[in-house]
Amino acid sequence: MSIYSYTARNIRGKEISLEQYRDKVLLIVNTASKCGFTPQYSDLQKLYEKYNEQGFQILGFPSNQFGEEPGTNDEVDIFCQINYGVSFPLFEKIDVKGNNKHPLFAYLTEQAEFAGFDPGHAGSRLLHKMLEEHDPASLTDNEVKWNFTKFLIDRKGNVVERFESPVDPLDIEPAIEQLL
């Protein structure tokens, strides 16, 4: 099994095989339009524009599992284009955790386990505290913890690293450059 074994519907409802991204460096991100981390769309777009011609691709997967992506797929698409100029591929809203999570995210979380939050990062401390208070069990499993969890995939389809929600996309740039 590899990342290329999966399919997902794009934001317009067309089934897409991830096989079409073979030989590309991928950053797969679960997204949301009404999240404190939503401004990360801006830096994701910057990375996409900077590295796309070198074989870098971002795949955005909206999810409302944290209550911060209530809109329809069309509303998500329009929001991302108007507010952040998003031109990287977006997919239909999916579940990224739990019993109904999309098989792609089941695979990603098996391959890249949750390693905790960076205690030196203010956003990480806040997210950890919130989860500790409201969902302490989530801190002991490998499920996606929140919106904008990022998975970096090499050109061979291997999951290389997982970056939790508070990690700014631009902080991932050196890891992306290494794979390009």
Side-chain angles (χ1 to χ4, degrees), residues 7 11 16-17 25 62 82 95 101 120 127 132-133 166 178:
T7 63
I11 200 86
I16 303 291
S17 170
V25 173
I82 289 174
D95 283 355
K101 72 182 154 202
L127 187 53
E132 196 172 55
E133 290 175 9
Q178 278 189 325

Side-chain angles (χ1 to χ4, degrees), residues 53 114 117 120 157-159:
E53 289 185 14
F114 176 62
F117 293 108
N158 301 308
V159 182

Side-chain angles (χ1 to χ4, degrees), residues 40-104:
Q40 287 188 16
Y41 270 127
S42 179
D43 287 341
L44 288 168
Q45 182 62 29
K46 286 176 189 171
L47 289 173
Y48 178 73
E49 290 171 3
K50 184 173 182 178
Y51 295 108
N52 182 250
E53 289 185 14
Q54 296 174 48
F56 176 65
Q57 188 67 257
I58 295 173
L59 307 179
F61 287 85
S63 178
N64 194 38
Q65 284 194 283
F66 307 102
E68 298 180 333
E69 189 59 273
T72 66
N73 288 313
D74 284 341
E75 289 169 338
V76 170
D77 192 26
I78 291 166
F79 172 87
C80 290
Q81 287 179 36
I82 289 174
N83 292 287
Y84 296 101
V86 168
S87 60
F88 55 83
L90 293 173
F91 291 79
E92 284 186 343
K93 287 170 52 172
I94 61 166
D95 283 355
V96 296
K97 68 176 195 159
N99 293 335
N100 295 320
K101 72 182 154 202
H102 191 282
L104 171 62

Side-chain angles (χ1 to χ4, degrees), residues 65-66 68 97 117 125-141 145-146:
Q65 284 194 283
F66 307 102
E68 298 180 333
K97 68 176 195 159
F117 293 108
R125 287 193 306 270
L126 286 171
L127 187 53
H128 184 270
K129 183 174 175 62
M130 184 203 59
L131 290 172
E132 196 172 55
E133 290 175 9
H134 300 287
D135 189 13
S138 72
L139 294 170
T140 61
D141 62 31
K145 307 302 175 211
W146 204 254

